[in-house]
Structure formats: structure tokens, C-alpha cells
Amino acid sequence: MPKVGMAPIRRRQLVEAAIAVIHEMGFANATVARIARRAGISAGLVHHYFEDKDDLLFTTMRHLLAELRADAVARLAEAREPRQRVIAIIDACFGEAQFEEQVFSAWLALYGNARHSARLRKIVTLYHRRLKSSLVHELRRLVPEAEAPRLADGIGSMIDGLWLRYALTGKPQHPETPRALTRDYLSAALERSFNRTGAGLNMPA
């Protein structure tokens, strides 16, 4: 039987082991036995912490999403102006941790298998919903209300597209590059909005 108080530690060990095994062997080959062996515990003990393999893998993906969210929250806490807060969200999506090889593999596995798993699709949907909601909340203070969702979709597409390029070809030589490209898109969109409507509500440099 597992020791009292060990559950959080074991669950974290198994999540980290799952990320490593997915990276090394692929999503389909990330069996409970291999994950347990990587974590240094028996396969039978895994079922004390997770219902089955799907539960473990679902928790692993939620862990990655939670880490991304925590980074965004920390960056937002230091930003004061709406434009700075949008940039904080962009920078979190392109944070150093998001360019780690194991993270690349785990997220690619998530996207690749979400079409066939309602639980994994839920994670993808949650990520996109949170990203758009956070962006729209800040963009409404920078552009007319009706433009905010469209601009948020554009920024989200830039983030997803650039991240996917690096996930498939290797991390960027300079991590600042994808952040700068997305900020440039934001700046151009805000300038177009201001020139078209004169409604630059709050556009600090």
C-alpha cells in the first residue's frame, strides 16, 4: 500500500515520467508499465493514483496546461497597461519551458490524438478558450468591442502556428524571435484599428 502523504509526490513523479516516455517512445507506446518503470515504481501501484492509462495521460496534459497558465499569471501580475498584459500572455505562450523537447513531444501528442479522444480534445478546447478569453479581456481596452475577438483569434493563430513550426523543426535559435513576430502582428493590428476608427482607447508604447 502507498504511504500516507505520498500521493501528490507519486502523481507528480508519474506525470513527469509520462512526459519523458511520450518524448522517447511516442504517445501510443507510453504504456503504464513503461511509465511506471521510468518513475521507479511498480505498474500495479499506478492504479492507486490513476484509474487507468487514459486518466494518467489526461492528467499529464492538464499538468502542462496548468504550468503554462501559472507562467501567464506570473507575467500578468507584473504588467499594468492592457497592451503590456497582452504581451505578457504572448510571452508566456513562448516561454522557455514551452520550447523544451519533451514539452514539444507531449503537446504534439496531445494535438495528434485529440481527434480520437474526447478527454484530450477537452484539454485542447480548454486551452484555446482560456487563451482567447484572456486576450479578449485585455484587447477590449485597446480596440472597439467588436474587433477584440477577431484580433484575439489572429494572435492565437500566430502563437499556434509559430509554436508548431518550432515543434516540428526544432526550438528557435533566439526565443525572442516568435515573441517579437507576434508582438509585431499586435502592433500592426492596433495601428490599423486606430487609423480606421480613431478609437485607440489606451495604446501605451
Side-chain angles (χ1 to χ4, degrees):
M1 291 294 292
K3 296 179 181 178
V4 176
M6 285 295 291
I9 297 173
R10 291 300 193 200
R11 289 175 68 88
R12 179 64 182 245
Q13 289 175 330
L14 287 165
V15 163
E16 291 175 351
I19 293 172
V21 173
I22 289 170
H23 172 62
E24 294 170 4
M25 308 194 72
F27 192 87
N29 295 317
T31 63
V32 168
R34 285 170 174 157
I35 294 169
R37 184 162 55 249
R38 182 62 180 248
I41 67 175
S42 70
L45 197 56
V46 172
H47 297 289
H48 285 287
Y49 307 109
F50 299 98
E51 294 178 7
D52 51 28
K53 174 186 172 180
D54 286 346
D55 186 33
L56 170 55
L57 296 178
F58 177 74
T59 301
T60 298
M61 296 308 175
R62 284 186 65 90
H63 167 77
L64 291 173
L65 186 59
E67 287 200 329
L68 173 58
R69 182 173 176 80
D71 186 21
V73 169
R75 293 173 188 268
L76 285 167
E78 298 179 0
R80 296 292 178 265
E81 301 290 342
R83 183 167 181 168
Q84 293 173 353
R85 291 175 66 80
V86 173
I87 290 172
I89 295 169
I90 292 170
D91 289 355
C93 291
F94 292 123
E96 295 290 341
Q98 301 307 313
F99 293 124
E100 294 177 2
E101 291 298 324
Q102 289 191 352
V103 174
F104 275 155
S105 296
W107 276 106
L108 284 174
L110 168 61
Y111 277 101
N113 289 274
R115 288 176 59 87
H116 307 291
S117 168
R119 296 192 78 189
L120 293 181
R121 189 161 58 249
K122 181 179 179 181
I123 294 291
V124 175
T125 301
L126 180 61
Y127 159 67
H128 286 142
R129 184 181 298 147
R130 283 181 175 175
L131 177 60
K132 182 171 183 176
S133 175
S134 297
L135 289 170
V136 168
H137 178 74
E138 304 301 335
L139 290 168
R140 282 173 174 163
R141 302 167 64 188
L142 294 168
V143 299
E145 178 95 10
E147 291 187 23
R150 181 181 176 85
L151 180 50
D153 283 337
I155 294 171
S157 297
M158 284 284 293
I159 290 169
D160 288 346
L162 287 169
W163 183 89
L164 180 60
R165 172 182 294 181
Y166 293 120
L168 294 173
T169 62
K171 64 186 300 182
Q173 184 175 2
H174 302 291
E176 182 63 20
T177 299
R179 301 171 194 156
L181 288 170
T182 311
R183 290 182 202 141
D184 287 348
Y185 173 83
L186 170 65
S187 296
L190 293 179
E191 184 176 356
R192 285 196 302 271
S193 177
F194 181 79
N195 291 338
R196 182 170 61 254
T197 67
L201 305 180
N202 188 0
M203 293 180 60

